[in-house]
Amino acid sequence: MSLHALSPTASALKTKLESFVNTRCIPAEKIYDEHISKFAGGDRWTAAAVPPIIDELKKEAQQLGFWNLFLPHQLPNHLVSSNNNSIKISPSIYLSNREYGILCEVMGRSSLAPEACNCSAPDTGNMEVLLKHGTKEQQAQYLLPLLQGNIRSTFLMTEPDVASSDARNLETKLTKIVGSDGRVRYVLNGKKWWSTGAMDPRCKVALVVCKMDYSHPSCAAEQHTAKQQQRGHQTIVIVPMSHPGIKCVRALTVFGSDDAPHGHAEVSLNNIELDETAVILGEGRGFEIAQSRLGPGRIHHCMRAIGLAARCYELMLERTMQRQTFGKFLHEHGSCREMIADSRSDLEAARLLTLACADDIDQLGAKGARDKIAMIKVAVPEYTSRVVDRAVQIFGGAGVSSDFPLARALVGLRTLRIADGPDAVHKVTLAKLELRKAKKRMQSKI
């Protein structure tokens, strides 16, 4: 079966989605930017700053059957039955990771399309965590409104004072306290940054990665060895953004842009008291949860990146047939043709590698596809960045302006080399897996 193959139903949905993205989402980008440009300073993070056009697009996406397409399987009955909203939270069709990846590429062509379809990060990853690991109560309180698109969420992991690519370095602590009556409570303290969406006025819940702290006298029986303190302590808790102990300290900029009204924030967590209902899956299960979140999420990120790069590539082709230098159209110069060929090759390589990874996840599960998951995390941002960089070069001064999507695309793709862990970490993972395979081959020859 071809990696590009879709069922007739999925193929028809893809055709509709392409029309929606090209005729509604891409033209709406200018309207979106013009609205947010009217606000300055702290006003950029208010409800008034959220462009109304996004809600219009969401309503259209719901009606057209594009809502929550990322969902991997049917929702629990208790969620469906408790959905009193007019919004149908179940997707119009359930797709494999590979099929959804193909549609992700289409969505990736516009910065607005993923959110319009309720398929944008970090919400999809957080919804998948709550769907897979959350209790019925956690799902009813947080997952349902996320599925409805009534709220947004954030994922708090990275910290400013340590190298967060090694999760063992995290300093945010969840101190466990056992009362005399046996009841358990926790106190959360720490500092996070690059918390995507935390300052969005629609963000109502945070999933926080923290390290268990059993130093309180009531937990003497749970003291861990030094090795266990380094590994297995990561825990994920749910914190409502309305809690007085959580504070957005400042908005962060990415190459000078604040990406309001969604953006990224530095967040302080001060003496946040929680009970056992805030813990997802259990103490020390954070690494397990985070890994389950990242597998399919990498497919989503990579295919959206490919869609964005493909849009820039098409703009580059058009530019080469519109502009002339030294008596020739740009595409008639040998150097330009070389850039076109290299870009087409990079796009196809990125696409095939990602779809092959998605197919492995479908067939083997995320654990069985660890090698390709690491590959795409490294290769796709690099390949797609090269495509967009060439497009910028072809456009010249216009390429680095805000008149075209090229500059913003280049910034986003460069950031992907750090998001969800830097390239170096994934190269180490891939090398270890390859060496392990090689060792087994060598041993089998003895």
Side-chain angles (χ1 to χ4, degrees):
M1 181 185 69
S2 168
L3 290 173
H4 298 282
L6 290 172
S7 68
T9 305
S11 180
L13 189 65
K14 176 175 178 281
T15 300
K16 285 171 58 181
L17 182 60
E18 288 171 337
S19 176
F20 174 67
V21 171
N22 291 327
T23 64
R24 293 292 293 125
C25 295
I26 290 178
E29 291 172 358
K30 184 177 181 181
I31 300 171
Y32 187 99
D33 290 341
E34 286 176 348
H35 180 88
I36 191 65
S37 68
K38 299 174 185 176
F39 298 82
D43 290 342
R44 291 171 65 79
W45 310 100
T46 61
V50 178
I53 189 65
I54 194 66
D55 286 328
E56 295 176 24
L57 293 173
K58 285 182 177 181
K59 290 176 182 177
E60 290 182 42
Q62 291 161 11
Q63 294 168 356
L64 292 167
F66 306 143
W67 198 253
N68 290 338
L69 288 173
F70 72 94
L71 288 172
H73 54 75
Q74 290 189 347
L75 293 169
N77 289 332
H78 72 89
L79 281 177
V80 178
S81 61
S82 61
N83 179 35
N84 298 321
N85 199 302
S86 59
I87 298 171
K88 186 175 183 294
I89 58 175
S90 298
S92 59
I93 179 177
Y94 287 94
L95 302 164
S96 66
N97 284 290
R98 182 187 59 79
E99 290 174 322
Y100 177 63
I102 294 172
L103 269 63
C104 258
E105 179 177 348
V106 177
M107 292 184 207
R109 293 177 64 88
S110 169
S111 58
L112 301 183
E115 183 181 352
C117 299
N118 210 36
C119 293
S120 59
D123 295 332
T124 50
N126 290 341
M127 284 190 271
E128 286 172 349
V129 165
L130 291 168
L131 180 59
K132 185 173 183 179
H133 304 294
T135 64
K136 286 185 178 180
E137 292 74 23
Q138 290 169 342
Q139 291 175 349
Q141 187 172 357
Y142 300 110
L143 177 56
L144 182 57
L146 282 167
L147 289 168
Q148 293 169 337
N150 292 336
I151 66 170
R152 298 209 65 182
S153 62
T154 184
F155 189 78
L156 276 57
M157 179 172 177
T158 308
E159 298 182 0
D161 298 330
V162 296
S164 304
S165 54
D166 182 350
R168 294 172 297 181
N169 290 335
L170 297 183
E171 295 180 337
T172 297
K173 290 184 178 180
L174 186 68
T175 303
K176 183 176 182 179
I177 302 170
V178 182
S180 57
D181 58 356
R183 296 184 64 178
V184 174
R185 64 185 179 93
Y186 303 94
V187 180
L188 180 68
N189 282 282
K191 187 193 301 182
K192 300 288 186 179
W193 73 341
W194 296 113
S195 305
T196 301
M199 290 187 68
D200 190 318
R202 300 163 295 179
C203 181
K204 303 303 180 186
V205 60
L207 270 61
V208 184
V209 183
C210 48
K211 184 178 289 187
M212 288 303 304
D213 172 25
Y214 297 106
S215 62
H216 191 271
S218 65
C219 298
E222 297 183 82
Q223 295 297 324
H224 286 200
T225 64
K227 181 178 180 181
Q228 287 174 320
Q229 289 174 355
Q230 287 295 313
R231 303 184 68 89
H233 260 205
Q234 285 72 31
T235 299
I236 295 181
V237 293
I238 304 171
V239 181
M241 292 299 290
S242 59
H243 195 291
I246 188 167
K247 180 182 178 183
C248 290
V249 178
R250 60 177 174 136
L252 302 174
T253 59
V254 182
F255 289 94
S257 174
D258 64 7
D259 292 333
H262 195 52
H264 318 272
E266 180 178 329
V267 180
S268 66
L269 306 161
N270 296 312
N271 294 321
I272 297 176
E273 292 203 12
L274 304 167
D275 60 24
E276 290 179 294
T277 63
V279 179
I280 298 180
L281 195 58
E283 297 174 10
R285 307 289 292 274
F287 183 78
E288 174 188 347
I289 296 169
Q291 289 304 301
S292 71
R293 181 182 188 273
L294 291 179
R298 296 254 167 83
I299 302 297
H300 308 170
H301 276 308
C302 288
M303 291 306 291
R304 284 195 296 260
I306 293 163
L308 178 59
R311 178 182 171 188
C312 296
Y313 171 69
E314 291 164 13
L315 289 172
M316 180 179 79
L317 290 176
E318 293 172 6
R319 191 77 165 186
T320 66
M321 293 185 280
Q322 294 167 342
R323 296 296 177 100
Q324 297 184 34
T325 59
F326 307 106
K328 293 181 179 180
F329 282 101
L330 294 180
H331 69 82
E332 295 179 301
H333 293 281
S335 59
C336 184
R337 290 184 175 184
E338 184 176 344
M339 293 169 79
I340 291 171
D342 287 342
S343 296
R344 181 67 179 83
S345 299
D346 281 342
L347 277 174
E348 192 63 16
R351 182 181 292 117
L352 290 174
L353 182 57
T354 307
L355 291 178
C357 176
D359 193 54
D360 274 7
I361 293 176
D362 288 331
Q363 303 300 323
L364 308 172
K367 188 173 182 180
R370 284 185 66 199
D371 54 349
K372 287 192 176 70
I373 291 173
M375 284 182 211
I376 64 172
K377 177 60 180 68
V378 174
V380 173
E382 181 178 343
Y383 293 169
T384 52
S385 291
R386 293 197 305 229
V387 173
V388 178
D389 185 68
R390 295 184 193 111
V392 168
Q393 194 69 18
I394 292 292
F395 269 75
V400 295
S401 75
S402 59
D403 292 356
F404 296 90
L406 307 180
R408 181 182 292 180
L410 194 58
V411 166
L413 294 173
R414 178 60 184 87
T415 305
L416 270 186
R417 292 179 58 193
I418 301 172
D420 289 342
D423 287 358
V425 171
H426 301 285
K427 287 181 179 180
V428 168
T429 298
L430 179 57
K432 286 181 177 178
L433 291 170
E434 289 300 299
L435 290 167
R436 194 177 301 160
K437 293 177 189 176
K439 187 175 182 180
K440 286 183 178 180
R441 287 197 300 268
M442 292 171 67
Q443 291 174 338
S444 67
K445 294 178 182 179
I446 298 175

